[in-house]
Structure formats: C-alpha cells, structure tokens
Amino acid sequence: CALPIFSHPNGWWRDTAQKLLVLKGDKSVVPALHELALRGVEPLGRIHALWTLEGLGALDAATVRALLASPDARLRAQALRAGESLVKAGDKGLVEDFRKLGADREPTVVLQTIMTAKYLGTGEAKAWPDHAKFTQATLLASPSKGVKELGAVILTGTEDRKSTRLNSSHIT
C-alpha cells in the first residue's frame, strides 16, 4: 500500500499523517486512500484512510457501502459515522443502507446506527425523518441489554429509566 504510515502501531504517527494530508488538501493521494480503505490489511489503517477521504471531500457512497458490509465491526461503525457527511450533502439513499445495521450482531454498530439516525433526523438535515420510530423498533428487537439502555438514553435524551420503558405501543 502507498500509505503504510496509516498502519503504524503508534497512533501519533497515524493521526499526524492524516492531519497533514487533510490540511495540505492534496488530492493526488485519493486513489491510494480508496485502495487502502477498501483493501487494506489493518483495520486502523483502513479507518484512517476513510476519514482522510472524508476530510479531503473525496469520500463516495460506494466506499461507504463497501465498508458497511465489512466483517470488522469497527469499520462498519466508522463507515456509518463518515457516511453522515454524504447524507447531509444530499445522498439520502445511504439512509436505507444505514437502516440495515440496526439489526447488526455487534452492539457497538447498533448504537452507532441509533446515534447516526438521531443526528440525521434532527437539525437542518432531516434526512432520517422517522429516526425515533426506527430507534424504538431497533431497541425492541435488540437482544442486548446495553443497546436497550444506552439506546433509550440516546432516544430520549434522559437517563430517567422510568421514562424510557419501551414496548410496541411506543412505535407510531
């Protein structure tokens, strides 16, 4: 790979390389970044390539979709988060891809999906208008107690567990 520094064991080197590439704005590295993000061996290197693409404004939906299907949960979660910028820029088709991860086997991915849904469903974007309904259904279907508890806090914005009892009557 042309960017071995992104797989360096020391995080400072990875972070600094990413920062310098983004600050420089040199798009000549974009093909190498795409290659690393899609086919790199080290997940951390792939994540840094993903975020460098996002920082350079060179991230595309195809790359995000490929990483959403990764066997590595960290890559799936980071693809969700990085893909938010594409949705906010108008690629609302990614929301359907994001929805599928509400049933992911990894609780961290499910929680990121819930956070992404809320982020994209509120504020200016309103790209995920039924985010609350999606989150409620996801929480009810999840076998993870942690997803249920943390997801309820994300949904309601409160840690008051009495107000976060969820059942099928909450889904509107």
Side-chain angles (χ1 to χ4, degrees):
C1 174
L3 296 165
I5 197 76
F6 279 173
S7 295
H8 195 282
N10 185 315
W12 182 88
W13 288 101
R14 293 189 310 270
D15 292 346
T16 301
Q18 179 179 335
K19 178 176 74 173
L20 291 173
L21 286 170
V22 171
L23 289 175
K24 187 176 179 185
D26 181 1
K27 304 269 181 140
S28 69
V29 297
V30 167
L33 289 168
H34 276 288
E35 179 67 24
L36 178 58
L38 294 172
R39 290 177 261 297
V41 175
E42 296 292 328
L44 280 176
R46 296 176 72 187
I47 290 167
H48 278 280
L50 168 72
W51 281 106
T52 306
L53 287 166
E54 197 275 341
L56 290 171
L59 184 61
D60 58 41
T63 301
V64 170
R65 284 185 176 103
L67 295 177
L68 290 173
S70 171
D72 189 295
R74 295 171 294 178
L75 287 167
R76 294 192 304 276
Q78 292 298 313
L80 274 164
R81 183 72 181 89
E84 291 171 1
S85 63
L86 296 177
V87 174
K88 286 189 78 173
D91 190 346
K92 296 191 182 359
L94 277 171
V95 170
E96 291 309 311
D97 297 286
F98 292 172
R99 283 180 189 278
K100 296 172 188 171
L101 293 178
D104 198 272
R105 67 188 177 279
E106 290 291 331
T108 56
V109 175
V110 176
L111 286 170
Q112 182 58 59
T113 306
I114 291 168
M115 289 185 281
T116 293
K118 185 169 185 172
Y119 175 70
L120 293 174
T122 58
E124 296 176 21
K126 301 265 193 280
W128 199 326
D130 68 338
H131 71 92
K133 182 178 178 180
F134 165 82
T135 298
Q136 290 168 346
T138 299
L139 297 180
L140 288 170
S142 178
S144 169
K145 184 177 178 181
V147 166
K148 290 179 186 299
E149 289 193 20
L150 291 172
V153 171
I154 294 164
L155 177 65
T156 64
T158 179
E159 291 185 46
D160 179 9
R161 291 196 181 115
K162 291 178 185 173
S163 68
T164 58
R165 289 191 193 129
L166 296 173
N167 59 48
S168 60
S169 67
H170 285 87
I171 301 174
T172 55

